[in-house]
Amino acid sequence: MERTTLVQHIRQQEKANPGATGEFSSLMNEIMVAAKIISLQVNSAGIGEDIFGLTGKINIHGEEVKKLDEFSDITFTKIIGQSGTVCAITSEEKEEPFIIPIEDDRGKYIFMMDPLDGSSNIDVNVNIGTIFSIYRKKSLGDIVTDEDLMQKGEDQIAAGYIVYGSSTIFVYTSGQGVHGFTLDPTLGEFFLSHPDLVIPERGSTYSINEGNWVIWDESQKDLVAYLKEDDPSTGRPYKLRYIGSLVADFHRTLLKGGIFMYPKDTKSPKGKLRFSFEAAPLAFIVEQAGGKASTGNQRILDITPTSIHDRLPLFIGSKNDVEMSEKRLAATVNKGSWFKWLSG
Ligand code: P6P
């Protein structure tokens, strides 16, 4: 049976890209090496080495940094930073961007990552993952500027995630569709297992932390209540699926369809998830697979961040489900404003 490796697939995609210099392929291969190292570590966590648990440090978002979080951030930073393909790395775990020294071997790409998302699930053996995004340096000269570090979502060159679970799966797009590869741990090689992934136009599940119901606004409550109404003629009620690990919830949504939502709430008035490290890369992937991603009223890929740690609401998944959600949110917001106007 013909088995395409991730390396072969990247090379094939590169051939389709005129003017490709091989630098992109080198970067993708280094990402794959780092992913294999993290996979090994995640799957051996707790056996012999004590890498469960906390480092005692707190990251920029006030979250406890788990040992595997830090290990993943350091691993990707070292391998990608020494690859000669990037000039800067931003990370959910780094307060400031890591700029590759000018005297070092640098490249034209900017690498952005959430090195280990969902890490609060590490100790309970729930799937966790790495999310990454690749942009091209825009500004002229050697200096890395804000223009390079905060680019419009649709300027991404490539995006992907690795989900570390019962198997390790590497999913990526470089603008030529979405493709998934499963790691064969005996050979240490990623093999094509999900070619040309397309998300169903509509699903039957919604994915959200309903524990936040009391801190949602009325339009969000109305939307979730609508999804739970019993109306088989419109495919409702939807089933609730929520793992609490974005990569796992997104991977299921990509394969099965439906919608994942992390709306703003009174605790996270701008939303909890980050534009650069979560929303933008997953939005590129889902759109390449035929789906949609928005803040509830704005396309994610149309957004240019004003800080590398910007947060925003995220509605992502099947095209029909995201569009239906956007319509209901708008209708409820308008009804609310009408009511305020009428009641003076
Ligand atoms: P909550 C994990 O901490 C994370 O960043 C995402 O992986 C996940 O989707 C979300 O937060 C879960 O947040 O508030 O439901 O625990």
Side-chain angles (χ1 to χ4, degrees):
M1 176 188 71
E2 168 78 14
R3 297 182 76 190
T4 303
T5 66
L6 177 52
V7 173
Q8 290 164 340
H9 193 271
I10 293 165
R11 198 181 304 126
Q12 286 160 11
Q13 297 239 315
E14 179 184 21
K15 283 185 187 145
N17 181 359
T21 62
E23 199 170 328
F24 175 72
S25 297
S26 302
L27 172 52
M28 287 298 292
N29 287 327
E30 298 298 340
I31 296 169
M32 182 181 61
V33 170
K36 289 178 186 176
I37 294 170
I38 307 304
S39 174
L40 191 64
Q41 208 62 43
V42 165
N43 287 299
S44 59
I47 300 169
E49 299 171 65
D50 171 27
I51 56 171
F52 269 131
L54 306 176
T55 60
K57 295 176 187 170
I58 301 294
N59 69 14
I60 177 184
H61 311 292
E63 297 159 342
E64 291 172 333
V65 177
K66 298 259 183 182
K67 288 181 180 174
L68 266 176
D69 263 338
E70 193 165 7
F71 174 81
S72 303
D73 188 57
I74 292 167
T75 300
F76 271 96
T77 302
K78 276 189 176 166
I79 292 177
I80 307 300
Q82 293 166 1
S83 67
T85 63
V86 301
C87 54
I89 296 173
T90 63
S91 165
E92 183 180 308
E93 296 301 331
K94 294 184 201 311
E95 194 155 347
E96 298 301 328
F98 173 61
I99 307 299
I100 312 301
I102 290 177
E103 61 276 12
D104 286 7
D105 191 5
R106 300 170 105 207
K108 64 188 173 209
Y109 294 113
I110 313 274
F111 182 76
M112 302 185 187
M113 65 173 165
D114 182 352
L116 201 62
D117 179 84
S119 54
S120 53
N121 295 295
I122 291 173
D123 301 5
V124 293
N125 206 27
V126 165
N127 290 9
I128 50 183
T130 298
I131 309 171
F132 67 87
S133 202
I134 300 170
Y135 294 82
R136 195 173 278 115
K137 185 177 188 300
K138 272 186 164 176
S139 64
L140 300 174
D142 287 333
I143 306 295
V144 178
T145 67
D146 282 355
E147 181 195 9
D148 300 319
L149 297 170
M150 289 170 270
Q151 299 190 37
K152 191 174 182 183
E154 68 181 11
D155 289 345
Q156 291 176 83
I157 303 297
Y161 62 87
I162 301 102
V163 55
Y164 310 104
S166 52
S167 55
T168 296
I169 297 181
F170 189 117
V171 176
Y172 89 99
T173 184
S174 59
Q176 301 167 69
V178 179
H179 312 282
F181 300 79
T182 300
L183 181 64
D184 178 331
T186 53
L187 298 175
E189 196 60 80
F190 281 101
F191 288 98
L192 183 61
S193 52
H194 301 74
D196 300 305
L197 273 168
V198 174
I199 187 170
E201 279 210 349
R202 181 177 177 189
S204 58
T205 60
Y206 72 104
S207 186
I208 191 167
N209 181 348
E210 287 227 23
N212 290 335
W213 177 277
V214 290
I215 54 177
W216 292 341
D217 65 25
E218 289 311 308
S219 62
Q220 186 60 44
K221 290 178 181 177
D222 168 84
L223 170 57
V224 171
Y226 173 79
L227 292 171
K228 296 201 283 190
E229 284 172 358
D230 185 12
D231 178 6
S233 68
T234 56
R236 293 178 294 153
Y238 276 44
K239 297 182 289 288
L240 173 60
R241 294 288 182 275
Y242 192 69
I243 300 167
S245 179
L246 176 58
V247 176
D249 279 318
F250 178 77
H251 187 61
R252 181 201 58 249
T253 304
L254 181 65
L255 268 55
K256 304 283 188 187
I259 184 168
F260 172 90
M261 298 177 271
Y262 207 107
K264 65 183 188 323
D265 54 43
T266 52
K267 192 171 60 170
S268 310
K270 291 187 176 176
K272 173 179 184 181
L273 301 177
R274 290 80 173 183
F275 172 84
S276 299
F277 312 121
E278 291 158 325
L282 297 184
F284 186 18
I285 292 167
V286 85
E287 286 201 4
Q288 282 286 310
K292 284 195 84 169
S294 81
T295 61
N297 56 34
Q298 184 180 12
R299 178 178 176 246
I300 296 291
L301 295 187
D302 287 339
I303 294 171
T304 301
T306 56
S307 152
I308 60 172
H309 291 291
D310 271 359
R311 296 172 189 260
L312 75 180
L314 180 62
F315 295 74
I316 189 167
S318 294
K319 181 173 177 294
N320 290 359
D321 292 323
V322 174
E323 288 175 349
M324 173 267 290
S325 300
E326 290 169 339
K327 285 194 187 87
R328 285 204 68 88
L329 288 169
T332 320
V333 166
N334 294 338
K335 186 171 65 175
S337 53
W338 262 110
F339 181 73
K340 284 195 187 101
W341 181 78
L342 283 173
S343 56

